[in-house]
Amino acid sequence: MSNRVARPKGGAKSAGGLAVGVLAALQEHGGVWFGWNGNTIRGEPGDPTLETDGPITYATIDLNARAYELYYNGFSNQALWPICHYLLGFFRYDRREFDEYRRVNALFARKLAPLLKPDDVIWVHDYHLIPMASELRRAGVTQPIGFFLHVPFPDVEVLRVLPVYQQLLRALCSYDVVGFHTQRDLRSFREAITEREIGSERADRRGSRPGTPMVADVFPIGLDVDDCQHQAQETGEQENVQRMVRHLHGRDLIIGVDRLDYSKGLEERFNAYERLLENYPANRNHVSYIQIAPTTRSGIRQYTEIRETLEQQAGRINGRFADIDWVPIRYLNRAFDRPTLMAFFREASVGLVTPVRDGMNLVAKEFIAAQDPDDPGVLVLSRLAGAADELTGAVLVNPYDIDGVADGIHTALSMSREERVSRHADMLRMLRENDITAWRTRFMNALLAAHERRAAAN
Ligand code: GDG
């Protein structure tokens, strides 16, 4: 279950890490993917529409305009999203939005329950659906239910800003397993649930189900590495990739690919690129920066504002540094298909992934997977992304330190081939050990084990 389901024939290119991860996991194992189809309607949604494509059955429902505004744009994306990314300047709370959030969770639970078979296992994804386990139990569901949080779990002092944080913590304690990307997230979660009020609630639960505490653990999401490599190699000959390469005229390509979101640090990144051209003038006319940033969440004002800001920044940088034969920065506010992105990554000398906070960041991993191991590009990665815990061979930077990021890009551009090959080999090994199969099987095994323990105890 996830808030949004990318339907097989929807046609839209999915720009979103959750969709990429869940799709890859389901393609391997098969199953039903339940959630919102992206349509908004008047009135109340009907029963789910079922569509089967290969091993996956898509069970999707509409949302009405009120739910879209209050549950999705409101509580999920203007309260929970900023809180989880430590960006309190974007946070706002409205009790009606939280009420709608709970109502939509209850609605999803009622729509899913009749589709379930006795041996099903339910895996709920992300912050939109935190109350789902309690709602499903209320609807009589007894199957194992696990939850994975794709965004960071914030420190309890930040969480406290949210008036209903204790209700959400209790809701998380209703799952058999709760998973996070990093040890940092797990530590914050553990600290939050040891608070007195939450602790007593958990003791009650244990009273009713003795010896069956909820399991919380770290399950870093990975990739289908072969698939990324294959796409990167196979797509290189395509016309649009060749066109991009021709326009480089031998210059080093710096690439960034992000959903247009304030957590991705794009404004800071554009400033850092400008600083690179100021502080290291030898790079002028020798590098070309392409930033791909498809629009998301266009129903929220701040998201349309970033778009305008970036256009202005790109215009200013190009106005200041461009030459008759050189455009320093190309900002593309649109989506590309996935194989093309992988081929672009492979052509790049530097991958720029500098979010101001990120649960994991799959683009960082895709950039590494797509490289030619004999002549790889270098990843410049924010320390504030979950991926920094694993991708230690990247040039790690603080995205707020504009000079530091400019230095990092310069270091990446000047790195010897020997060092690039060795850093890349270490990271690729890690990506293979911890791929999408490992993510899915480790989570599923934990969930089945927790459920068996519970069944044995009851
Ligand atoms: C959330 C968490 C966590 C981007 N532009 C296009 C496109 N993309 C794809 C990328 C990548 C995915 O979207 C983005 O994933 P990220 O992980 O970078 O970021 P979020 O969307 O914020 O994802 C994140 C993730 O969930 C998984 O748990 O890592 O921390 O925030 O796969 O390649 N795909 C296509 N066209 C584009 O223009 N086709």
mmCIF file of all heavy atoms in Angstrom, residues 17-40:
data_model
loop_
_atom_site.group_PDB
_atom_site.id
_atom_site.type_symbol
_atom_site.label_atom_id
_atom_site.label_comp_id
_atom_site.label_asym_id
_atom_site.label_seq_id
_atom_site.Cartn_x
_atom_site.Cartn_y
_atom_site.Cartn_z
ATOM 1 N N GLY A 17 10.993 8.247 -5.631
ATOM 2 C CA GLY A 17 11.776 7.113 -5.167
ATOM 3 C C GLY A 17 10.922 5.965 -4.668
ATOM 4 O O GLY A 17 11.231 4.790 -4.885
ATOM 5 N N LEU A 18 9.819 6.278 -4.005
ATOM 6 C CA LEU A 18 8.965 5.225 -3.469
ATOM 7 C C LEU A 18 8.426 4.370 -4.608
ATOM 8 O O LEU A 18 8.486 3.140 -4.567
ATOM 9 C CB LEU A 18 7.831 5.853 -2.673
ATOM 10 C CG LEU A 18 6.862 4.904 -1.999
ATOM 11 C CD1 LEU A 18 6.271 5.556 -0.755
ATOM 12 C CD2 LEU A 18 5.730 4.467 -2.912
ATOM 13 N N ALA A 19 7.926 5.019 -5.649
ATOM 14 C CA ALA A 19 7.351 4.284 -6.782
ATOM 15 C C ALA A 19 8.401 3.395 -7.440
ATOM 16 O O ALA A 19 8.124 2.241 -7.771
ATOM 17 C CB ALA A 19 6.777 5.269 -7.803
ATOM 18 N N VAL A 20 9.617 3.915 -7.564
ATOM 19 C CA VAL A 20 10.697 3.141 -8.187
ATOM 20 C C VAL A 20 11.008 1.909 -7.337
ATOM 21 O O VAL A 20 11.098 0.779 -7.827
ATOM 22 C CB VAL A 20 11.957 4.035 -8.356
ATOM 23 C CG1 VAL A 20 13.176 3.223 -8.744
ATOM 24 C CG2 VAL A 20 11.685 5.112 -9.401
ATOM 25 N N GLY A 21 11.120 2.090 -6.028
ATOM 26 C CA GLY A 21 11.481 0.996 -5.115
ATOM 27 C C GLY A 21 10.381 -0.046 -5.006
ATOM 28 O O GLY A 21 10.637 -1.248 -5.106
ATOM 29 N N VAL A 22 9.145 0.393 -4.832
ATOM 30 C CA VAL A 22 8.032 -0.543 -4.654
ATOM 31 C C VAL A 22 7.794 -1.319 -5.945
ATOM 32 O O VAL A 22 7.575 -2.532 -5.916
ATOM 33 C CB VAL A 22 6.752 0.202 -4.201
ATOM 34 C CG1 VAL A 22 5.552 -0.739 -4.185
ATOM 35 C CG2 VAL A 22 6.952 0.807 -2.817
ATOM 36 N N LEU A 23 7.886 -0.636 -7.071
ATOM 37 C CA LEU A 23 7.675 -1.318 -8.355
ATOM 38 C C LEU A 23 8.729 -2.414 -8.550
ATOM 39 O O LEU A 23 8.397 -3.558 -8.885
ATOM 40 C CB LEU A 23 7.736 -0.315 -9.512
ATOM 41 C CG LEU A 23 7.496 -0.897 -10.899
ATOM 42 C CD1 LEU A 23 6.073 -1.408 -11.040
ATOM 43 C CD2 LEU A 23 7.758 0.147 -11.978
ATOM 44 N N ALA A 24 9.986 -2.090 -8.283
ATOM 45 C CA ALA A 24 11.055 -3.085 -8.469
ATOM 46 C C ALA A 24 10.843 -4.277 -7.535
ATOM 47 O O ALA A 24 11.015 -5.430 -7.933
ATOM 48 C CB ALA A 24 12.416 -2.441 -8.222
ATOM 49 N N ALA A 25 10.431 -4.016 -6.291
ATOM 50 C CA ALA A 25 10.225 -5.104 -5.328
ATOM 51 C C ALA A 25 9.043 -5.971 -5.761
ATOM 52 O O ALA A 25 9.094 -7.201 -5.702
ATOM 53 C CB ALA A 25 10.007 -4.533 -3.926
ATOM 54 N N LEU A 26 7.961 -5.343 -6.218
ATOM 55 C CA LEU A 26 6.770 -6.106 -6.616
ATOM 56 C C LEU A 26 6.999 -6.889 -7.904
ATOM 57 O O LEU A 26 6.454 -7.975 -8.079
ATOM 58 C CB LEU A 26 5.580 -5.171 -6.802
ATOM 59 C CG LEU A 26 4.703 -4.915 -5.575
ATOM 60 C CD1 LEU A 26 3.669 -3.853 -5.878
ATOM 61 C CD2 LEU A 26 4.021 -6.186 -5.089
ATOM 62 N N GLN A 27 7.819 -6.325 -8.799
ATOM 63 C CA GLN A 27 8.072 -7.028 -10.063
ATOM 64 C C GLN A 27 8.763 -8.363 -9.811
ATOM 65 O O GLN A 27 8.521 -9.336 -10.504
ATOM 66 C CB GLN A 27 8.930 -6.169 -11.002
ATOM 67 C CG GLN A 27 8.059 -5.440 -12.011
ATOM 68 C CD GLN A 27 8.779 -4.274 -12.656
ATOM 69 O OE1 GLN A 27 9.885 -3.905 -12.255
ATOM 70 N NE2 GLN A 27 8.166 -3.667 -13.639
ATOM 71 N N GLU A 28 9.586 -8.407 -8.770
ATOM 72 C CA GLU A 28 10.296 -9.654 -8.459
ATOM 73 C C GLU A 28 9.367 -10.691 -7.850
ATOM 74 O O GLU A 28 9.477 -11.872 -8.115
ATOM 75 C CB GLU A 28 11.380 -9.366 -7.425
ATOM 76 C CG GLU A 28 12.639 -8.830 -7.992
ATOM 77 C CD GLU A 28 13.707 -8.775 -6.912
ATOM 78 O OE1 GLU A 28 13.363 -8.735 -5.716
ATOM 79 O OE2 GLU A 28 14.863 -8.775 -7.276
ATOM 80 N N HIS A 29 8.492 -10.243 -6.978
ATOM 81 C CA HIS A 29 7.763 -11.177 -6.131
ATOM 82 C C HIS A 29 6.299 -11.318 -6.519
ATOM 83 O O HIS A 29 5.662 -12.328 -6.237
ATOM 84 C CB HIS A 29 7.877 -10.692 -4.676
ATOM 85 C CG HIS A 29 7.311 -11.630 -3.684
ATOM 86 N ND1 HIS A 29 6.006 -11.525 -3.226
ATOM 87 C CD2 HIS A 29 7.840 -12.707 -3.088
ATOM 88 C CE1 HIS A 29 5.787 -12.513 -2.373
ATOM 89 N NE2 HIS A 29 6.872 -13.236 -2.270
ATOM 90 N N GLY A 30 5.762 -10.311 -7.164
ATOM 91 C CA GLY A 30 4.334 -10.307 -7.496
ATOM 92 C C GLY A 30 3.519 -9.830 -6.306
ATOM 93 O O GLY A 30 3.995 -9.834 -5.165
ATOM 94 N N GLY A 31 2.277 -9.396 -6.577
ATOM 95 C CA GLY A 31 1.423 -8.957 -5.481
ATOM 96 C C GLY A 31 0.454 -7.887 -5.942
ATOM 97 O O GLY A 31 0.388 -7.541 -7.126
ATOM 98 N N VAL A 32 -0.306 -7.387 -4.985
ATOM 99 C CA VAL A 32 -1.289 -6.339 -5.258
ATOM 100 C C VAL A 32 -0.692 -5.015 -4.778
ATOM 101 O O VAL A 32 -0.139 -4.943 -3.691
ATOM 102 C CB VAL A 32 -2.600 -6.618 -4.478
ATOM 103 C CG1 VAL A 32 -3.594 -5.463 -4.656
ATOM 104 C CG2 VAL A 32 -3.223 -7.931 -4.932
ATOM 105 N N TRP A 33 -0.812 -3.981 -5.596
ATOM 106 C CA TRP A 33 -0.361 -2.645 -5.173
ATOM 107 C C TRP A 33 -1.605 -1.769 -5.056
ATOM 108 O O TRP A 33 -2.289 -1.520 -6.049
ATOM 109 C CB TRP A 33 0.622 -2.101 -6.196
ATOM 110 C CG TRP A 33 1.328 -0.844 -5.778
ATOM 111 C CD1 TRP A 33 1.134 -0.105 -4.644
ATOM 112 C CD2 TRP A 33 2.363 -0.170 -6.503
ATOM 113 N NE1 TRP A 33 1.982 0.968 -4.607
ATOM 114 C CE2 TRP A 33 2.744 0.952 -5.741
ATOM 115 C CE3 TRP A 33 3.007 -0.404 -7.723
ATOM 116 C CZ2 TRP A 33 3.734 1.841 -6.167
ATOM 117 C CZ3 TRP A 33 3.990 0.489 -8.142
ATOM 118 C CH2 TRP A 33 4.350 1.585 -7.356
ATOM 119 N N PHE A 34 -1.874 -1.345 -3.824
ATOM 120 C CA PHE A 34 -3.104 -0.615 -3.532
ATOM 121 C C PHE A 34 -2.806 0.848 -3.210
ATOM 122 O O PHE A 34 -1.874 1.152 -2.444
ATOM 123 C CB PHE A 34 -3.798 -1.256 -2.312
ATOM 124 C CG PHE A 34 -5.094 -0.591 -1.938
ATOM 125 C CD1 PHE A 34 -6.307 -1.110 -2.368
ATOM 126 C CD2 PHE A 34 -5.116 0.569 -1.168
ATOM 127 C CE1 PHE A 34 -7.506 -0.489 -2.050
ATOM 128 C CE2 PHE A 34 -6.308 1.206 -0.851
ATOM 129 C CZ PHE A 34 -7.500 0.670 -1.289
ATOM 130 N N GLY A 35 -3.630 1.756 -3.765
ATOM 131 C CA GLY A 35 -3.476 3.168 -3.397
ATOM 132 C C GLY A 35 -4.269 4.077 -4.318
ATOM 133 O O GLY A 35 -5.107 3.617 -5.109
ATOM 134 N N TRP A 36 -3.962 5.341 -4.251
ATOM 135 C CA TRP A 36 -4.664 6.376 -5.024
ATOM 136 C C TRP A 36 -4.167 6.357 -6.471
ATOM 137 O O TRP A 36 -2.966 6.248 -6.717
ATOM 138 C CB TRP A 36 -4.389 7.729 -4.365
ATOM 139 C CG TRP A 36 -4.941 8.920 -5.081
ATOM 140 C CD1 TRP A 36 -6.127 9.015 -5.738
ATOM 141 C CD2 TRP A 36 -4.312 10.204 -5.202
ATOM 142 N NE1 TRP A 36 -6.288 10.283 -6.250
ATOM 143 C CE2 TRP A 36 -5.189 11.030 -5.935
ATOM 144 C CE3 TRP A 36 -3.104 10.737 -4.739
ATOM 145 C CZ2 TRP A 36 -4.887 12.355 -6.229
ATOM 146 C CZ3 TRP A 36 -2.798 12.055 -5.032
ATOM 147 C CH2 TRP A 36 -3.692 12.855 -5.773
ATOM 148 N N ASN A 37 -5.103 6.525 -7.437
ATOM 149 C CA ASN A 37 -4.718 6.494 -8.857
ATOM 150 C C ASN A 37 -4.305 7.868 -9.389
ATOM 151 O O ASN A 37 -3.976 8.013 -10.558
ATOM 152 C CB ASN A 37 -5.880 5.937 -9.701
ATOM 153 C CG ASN A 37 -7.155 6.762 -9.520
ATOM 154 O OD1 ASN A 37 -7.116 7.911 -9.069
ATOM 155 N ND2 ASN A 37 -8.292 6.173 -9.858
ATOM 156 N N GLY A 38 -4.368 8.899 -8.551
ATOM 157 C CA GLY A 38 -3.971 10.238 -8.995
ATOM 158 C C GLY A 38 -5.126 11.093 -9.485
ATOM 159 O O GLY A 38 -4.937 12.284 -9.747
ATOM 160 N N ASN A 39 -6.349 10.506 -9.581
ATOM 161 C CA ASN A 39 -7.509 11.293 -10.030
ATOM 162 C C ASN A 39 -8.238 11.904 -8.840
ATOM 163 O O ASN A 39 -8.351 11.283 -7.795
ATOM 164 C CB ASN A 39 -8.523 10.400 -10.760
ATOM 165 C CG ASN A 39 -7.934 9.833 -12.042
ATOM 166 O OD1 ASN A 39 -7.008 10.411 -12.606
ATOM 167 N ND2 ASN A 39 -8.452 8.696 -12.469
ATOM 168 N N THR A 40 -8.742 13.136 -9.057
ATOM 169 C CA THR A 40 -9.620 13.714 -8.018
ATOM 170 C C THR A 40 -11.032 13.828 -8.586
ATOM 171 O O THR A 40 -11.218 14.236 -9.729
ATOM 172 C CB THR A 40 -9.132 15.107 -7.560
ATOM 173 O OG1 THR A 40 -8.769 15.852 -8.709
ATOM 174 C CG2 THR A 40 -7.966 15.015 -6.630
#
